[in-house]
Amino acid sequence: MKKQNDGTITLRQLRNWCSEAHGAQTYGEFPYSFHLSAVEAVAIRFGFRSRTVRMACWAHDVLEDTARKSKDMLSAGFPRRVVSIAEAVTDEPGDTREERKQKTYPKIAGDRLAIIVKLCDRIANVESSRMRSRRKYRRYQEEHRSFKAHLFNPRDRKLLPLWQHLERILEG
């Protein structure tokens, strides 16, 4: 892939780059790109079709789950805004999952597009775990109160359908 520095990477190139960055990582029995595609599909389903959001859906786990860094993303031509969303949703260090989430939620809450991407990620994970992993599904149910307390803004009416759908599928 041609190296780009101006943030003009295409969506197709970005998808390929992210898939390559995740390498042999899997999502259950599927290649990891299955999950990234599902997150983008949730965004589109709920009307969030901007290039930035779609790219961020693919990029959201790169910094947390691969050896790639923000500078690698920028060197590949990722828009700075997409990288900043990936940085916002990347878990902070912590000894437990709960501690990591408690440190990360404030970063997400400060960036509306990061909230959208994180909601799409959570919906994709819950939809998948409902069918494939009761253990993970129960974990998302248990985490929901804190997740919502940190990220829900009742004044952001455009996000209500995402929140309503998430709560519906968490009802069990």
Side-chain angles (χ1 to χ4, degrees):
M1 179 184 314
K2 184 176 104 180
K3 185 175 175 179
Q4 299 180 15
N5 293 319
D6 59 0
T8 59
I9 191 172
T10 67
L11 182 56
R12 178 182 297 172
Q13 290 170 325
L14 183 137
R15 286 180 183 133
N16 289 337
W17 190 96
C18 292
S19 295
E20 290 171 14
H22 284 281
Q25 182 183 358
T26 59
Y27 187 82
E29 66 271 22
F30 301 104
Y32 202 75
S33 59
F34 173 86
H35 169 63
L36 304 176
S37 178
V39 175
E40 180 188 18
V42 171
I44 292 168
R45 185 178 358 146
F46 285 90
F48 298 97
R49 295 178 172 90
S50 75
R51 179 176 183 265
T52 300
V53 168
R54 292 176 70 187
M55 286 182 162
C57 287
W58 277 82
H60 79 276
D61 278 337
V62 167
L63 299 174
E64 188 170 294
D65 294 347
T66 79
R68 305 287 172 93
K69 306 286 185 218
S70 297
K71 64 180 177 155
D72 300 320
M73 298 168 84
L74 292 168
S75 292
F78 283 55
R80 177 73 199 129
R81 185 68 180 104
V82 170
V83 176
S84 72
I85 294 166
E87 291 169 342
V89 301
T90 296
D91 277 353
E92 291 295 309
D95 292 333
T96 65
R97 178 179 170 88
E98 182 180 358
E99 184 181 333
R100 290 188 299 273
K101 298 301 178 195
Q102 293 303 312
K103 290 179 175 180
T104 305
Y105 289 153
K107 287 192 316 179
I108 299 169
D111 184 335
R112 184 175 184 269
L113 294 185
I115 294 170
I116 292 168
V117 170
K118 192 63 184 175
L119 269 169
C120 293
D121 176 44
R122 183 58 58 108
I123 289 169
N125 281 328
V126 172
E127 287 177 346
S128 178
S129 68
R130 279 176 73 191
M131 297 178 284
R132 295 183 175 85
S133 173
R134 293 302 295 174
R135 179 185 58 79
K136 288 181 180 177
Y137 181 71
R138 282 191 297 276
R139 182 180 69 207
Y140 294 127
Q141 288 176 312
E142 292 165 6
E143 290 177 346
H144 185 65
R145 179 173 287 140
S146 178
F147 182 81
K148 186 174 182 180
H150 284 91
L151 303 180
F152 179 70
N153 177 353
R155 292 179 306 280
D156 194 340
R157 313 279 302 156
K158 291 187 177 184
L159 300 190
L160 283 178
L162 287 162
W163 285 108
Q164 291 166 345
H165 178 69
L166 179 59
E167 292 184 344
R168 208 168 24 254
I169 61 178
L170 284 169
E171 287 174 357

